[in-house]
Amino acid sequence: MTALVFEYIRQTRKVFIELVDGLSIDELNTIPEGFRNNIAWNFGHIVVSTLGLCYRRTQVQPDRQIQFVESYAKGTKPEHWIGESEIHVLKSQALNTIDLIEQDYKNGAFTTVVPYSTATFGLEMDTIEEVLVMSLAHDNLHFGYANALRKAIHQQKSQLHK
């Protein structure tokens, strides 16, 4: 079952990358009226959140260094222009980090986790398998936000051209 969860996480991230690849850097950074973040932020957020949830929140590696965490952690919002080079790194990390987590899972790194719950879903997670399922749900939640942002951006563009 866990192998399937990893595949679903990877697939969600692949379609998220396709969404990102189909937009300009301006569109990725646009915050439409009524929103508080942009597509680039939502993408970066899933990349750093899964690492934080799997390693830090479980206390498996509470001091683990996570690139870009200051920009994309829960409670942050876009504070700077997210350039093409940062997007490129995030796209690479989106899949590489899942490979890393899966390898650590297979090597038994997550046999003992400290239970916790997230504000988003409110369910306590006692095992890494529960954390992974929640991470999949979290990725899809933000993919949905990104699709809503894309729609709003395209609607705003079409209204400007009328």
Side-chain angles (χ1 to χ4, degrees), residues 17-147:
I17 289 169
E18 288 175 16
L19 183 150
V20 167
D21 285 345
L23 299 169
S24 71
I25 198 69
D26 288 334
E27 290 171 319
L28 293 174
N29 279 279
T30 297
I31 302 174
E33 190 173 320
F35 291 86
R36 76 183 281 281
N37 55 43
N38 55 38
I39 294 169
W41 182 90
N42 276 277
F43 184 66
H45 178 69
I46 67 162
V47 173
V48 304
S49 292
T50 300
L51 286 171
L53 293 167
C54 289
Y55 292 103
R56 287 183 175 180
R57 294 286 303 268
T58 61
Q59 298 298 302
V60 168
Q61 293 177 1
D63 298 326
R64 182 180 192 90
Q65 296 299 308
I66 301 172
Q67 187 176 10
F68 302 121
V69 74
E70 299 82 14
S71 298
Y72 301 109
K74 180 176 177 62
T76 64
K77 60 183 181 179
E79 301 277 345
H80 67 281
W81 183 262
I82 302 164
E84 290 183 27
S85 61
E86 189 167 325
I87 294 293
H88 179 75
V89 172
L90 289 168
K91 288 189 323 187
S92 174
Q93 288 182 357
L95 297 172
N96 293 342
T97 56
I98 300 308
D99 294 341
L100 172 71
I101 293 166
E102 185 175 33
Q103 190 59 49
D104 283 348
Y105 176 81
K106 288 176 180 176
N107 291 337
F110 301 105
T111 54
T112 305
V113 301
V114 173
Y116 69 93
S117 64
T118 64
T120 304
F121 298 106
L123 297 172
E124 185 169 287
M125 295 166 283
D126 299 316
T127 66
I128 191 61
E129 291 83 6
E130 291 171 350
V131 174
L132 292 169
V133 168
M134 190 281 309
S135 293
L136 173 60
H138 181 257
D139 281 10
N140 279 287
L141 177 73
H142 285 278
F143 179 62
Y145 290 154
N147 276 304

